[in-house]
Amino acid sequence: MLKAQKLTLAVLVNAALISSAYASEQSEAKGFVEGASASVLLRNGFIQRDKKDGVHDTNSWLQSVMLNLESGFTQGPVGFAAGVVGDFSFKLGDNYHAGNSMIALKNDGQKDANGRVDPYDQWTRGGGYVKARASNTTLTYGTQILDLPVLASMTTRNVPEYFEGTLITSHEIKNLEVVAGKFTKNQLPEHIASDQNHLDRAYVWGAKYQFNDQLKAAYYGADLKDKLERHYANVNYKQTLANKDSLTYDFSGYHTKFEPGTTYSATGPANEDKKNNIWAVSATYNTGPHTAMLAYQQNTGNVGYDYGQNGDGGQSIYLPNSYLSDFIGNHEKSVQLQYTYDFADLAVPGLSWTTAYVYGWDIRVNNLTDDAKEREFFNQVSYKVQTGPAKDLNIRVRNSIYRASDEYQTNAYIGDTNEWRIFVDFPIKFF
């Protein structure tokens, strides 16, 4: 593994030294002040999980302000830049029954009469970063929001998940992006401390390449010390049909090997290496305002797929069958039918509706069954204001109705739940 990491870094260094096949990003640098940008995102978020079978509900409601301040790159052969990311949040309502990775909870051992942990009234998080760029290769060090299939920050809550470390991103060859990095801290959206998820060390590497307008592919790997080793691959092909219709085929999959003693949400086999393979294929047809997708997803190995708890990112699941449930049980097979309608065709631009149904079966639950099942009915309406003083205000309302067989209930997974999520986003750009 170490040889692979050294080879990836060597490729990045050499790429930065050779002549670029197209215009250099650094040659277009505007200057430290001239290229600066600053914005905030105001987000009001509400998640209600109506639990069944006597399990306590979990509801979370809060207001957040997220800051993104970044300088431009200095001019010259090597450019330098700096930035700050951060967020301030305060709870709305008592939120004693909070959870859902939304509300920061106190770790003082105090609980109310119902055993609920006291939440913070308000909290602030964030950090800074610096960048250096030569040609089309950029090194970033500090607090970052990652978007890598094997190390992806959770961004589906009010505030994002942060990682702290170093990431090199190179575009020296046209249509090719190569990345390599090392991260040593991980902070989930509900965490106060910068390394509350106890990440020791994570190496990441990978590349994605656009062959032409129709075909693209990607590979990424991650090695988390004493936790896991993970590999991801993806191939995507878009076929253009008559009348601007299209049919897109996608294959993606992960191979994960968990280290002994790894924290794992589902009980694995005793005295055995824990391994998982999960892959999915999908076909998506688009015609005018209508988009329909059919997807099939399958697990093999002796445990299900797992993410987030080991510092590997709460959104590191780049697979289609992922809503409230991610359909990642041991040996689980699942199929999905999804439909999206764009109301721009009815003279309401910015409004869309997505509905999906996912059914999973053949789930192995240790000592209980090899044939547990789960299903989810999902709906989301999203609207972005197109003009006026509230331009870019975005409202998302989603609902999931989730049910599972008795053997795959709360002790093994999330349990029967009706969930609502409402997010209102208003971005403000200062410069």
Side-chain angles (χ1 to χ4, degrees):
M1 186 58 60
L2 187 57
K3 290 182 178 179
Q5 295 154 3
K6 288 182 176 178
L7 178 60
T8 304
L9 290 171
V11 170
L12 286 167
V13 172
N14 285 319
L17 296 176
I18 64 175
S19 297
S20 176
Y22 61 111
S24 163
E25 296 170 358
Q26 178 54 25
S27 67
E28 300 175 356
K30 297 179 180 179
F32 192 84
V33 175
E34 293 80 359
S37 63
S39 63
V40 296
L41 175 64
L42 307 180
R43 174 173 291 168
N44 188 283
F46 173 76
I47 295 181
Q48 179 193 57
R49 288 182 175 172
D50 176 13
K51 298 286 188 174
K52 306 302 177 183
D53 303 314
V55 180
H56 289 299
D57 296 345
T58 56
N59 301 333
S60 308
W61 187 21
L62 68 152
Q63 175 67 49
S64 300
V65 181
M66 285 166 276
L67 170 70
N68 189 342
L69 174 62
E70 184 172 54
S71 76
F73 281 94
T74 59
Q75 296 178 333
V78 179
F80 298 93
V84 174
V85 292
D87 53 76
F88 166 74
S89 302
F90 57 91
K91 66 183 180 67
L92 300 170
D94 61 56
N95 281 284
Y96 273 102
H97 46 333
N100 315 322
S101 298
M102 289 274 282
I103 304 289
L105 302 177
K106 294 181 180 178
N107 190 25
D108 56 7
Q110 299 297 316
K111 297 182 180 180
D112 70 0
N114 295 316
R116 299 176 300 191
V117 179
D118 187 20
Y120 283 93
D121 292 325
Q122 61 187 38
W123 58 99
T124 304
R125 317 172 320 139
Y129 59 88
V130 293
K131 290 183 175 183
R133 183 173 66 184
S135 183
N136 295 305
T137 298
T138 302
L139 182 150
T140 304
Y141 172 75
T143 303
Q144 302 176 52
I145 301 170
L146 299 181
D147 184 18
L148 303 173
V150 292
L151 203 66
S153 298
M154 182 188 295
T155 57
T156 55
R157 300 300 190 266
N158 245 51
V159 295
E161 174 182 7
Y162 295 123
F163 285 89
E164 186 173 310
T166 303
L167 182 68
I168 302 172
T169 305
S170 178
H171 302 109
E172 296 299 336
I173 299 175
K174 188 175 182 180
N175 297 327
L176 173 66
E177 178 181 276
V178 181
V179 299
K182 177 183 177 181
F183 294 89
T184 55
K185 291 185 179 181
N186 175 222
Q187 183 179 23
L188 288 167
E190 73 274 25
H191 288 169
I192 296 292
S194 62
D195 192 31
Q196 203 166 330
N197 210 24
H198 308 298
L199 175 64
D200 188 337
R201 179 269 296 151
Y203 286 115
V204 294
W205 61 92
K208 59 181 180 181
Y209 185 67
Q210 181 91 34
F211 291 90
N212 50 47
D213 291 340
Q214 290 77 41
L215 179 63
K216 57 185 177 182
Y219 161 77
Y220 292 89
D223 180 9
L224 279 71
K225 182 179 179 181
D226 300 327
K227 297 293 185 179
L228 59 84
E229 179 184 318
R230 176 166 288 155
H231 303 271
Y232 166 87
N234 171 260
V235 178
N236 181 282
Y237 179 76
K238 183 176 182 179
Q239 179 182 2
T240 302
L241 306 176
N243 302 318
K244 297 184 179 180
D245 294 355
S246 65
L247 187 58
T248 303
Y249 310 92
D250 189 271
F251 168 83
S252 52
Y254 291 89
H255 168 71
T256 305
K257 179 182 178 182
F258 297 92
E259 296 294 335
T262 299
T263 302
Y264 195 82
S265 60
T267 303
N271 302 318
E272 291 184 28
D273 291 337
K274 298 180 177 67
K275 296 180 181 179
N276 171 266
N277 299 301
I278 184 169
W279 56 272
V281 291
S282 65
T284 303
Y285 176 66
N286 173 258
T287 177
H290 308 281
T291 302
M293 179 180 72
L294 180 64
Y296 176 80
Q297 187 169 299
Q298 181 171 329
N299 275 267
T300 59
N302 53 17
V303 292
Y305 185 79
D306 194 62
Y307 56 95
Q309 295 191 65
N310 295 298
D312 48 332
Q315 209 163 294
S316 301
I317 177 84
Y318 284 38
L319 296 172
N321 294 1
S322 180
Y323 296 100
L324 172 57
S325 174
D326 296 304
F327 294 83
I328 55 175
N330 188 7
H331 268 258
E332 179 173 10
K333 306 175 184 69
S334 61
V335 63
Q336 175 193 177
L337 180 61
Q338 181 198 87
Y339 171 75
T340 298
Y341 183 77
D342 185 347
F343 285 83
D345 198 58
L346 296 178
V348 190
L351 179 64
S352 66
W353 167 57
T354 296
T355 184
Y357 180 77
V358 192
Y359 177 75
W361 70 97
D362 280 357
I363 306 170
R364 289 185 181 176
V365 183
N366 289 347
N367 304 318
L368 292 175
T369 183
D370 287 342
D371 190 29
K373 299 176 177 63
E374 61 174 332
R375 62 190 184 277
E376 180 176 348
F377 180 47
F378 171 87
N379 282 277
Q380 176 172 283
V381 175
S382 177
Y383 178 67
K384 178 180 285 190
V385 178
Q386 303 295 295
T387 59
K391 186 178 184 295
D392 294 329
L393 174 73
N394 187 33
I395 302 172
R396 291 169 291 145
V397 180
R398 60 177 274 182
N399 173 254
S400 288
I401 300 173
Y402 173 82
R403 297 293 183 269
S405 53
D406 291 342
E407 302 87 353
Y408 202 51
Q409 285 294 333
T410 308
N411 289 334
Y413 200 41
I414 58 179
D416 290 354
T417 306
N418 294 346
E419 182 194 70
W420 284 96
R421 299 188 191 186
I422 303 173
F423 288 94
V424 181
D425 291 354
F426 186 44
I428 302 174
K429 184 175 178 61
F430 297 113
F431 54 85

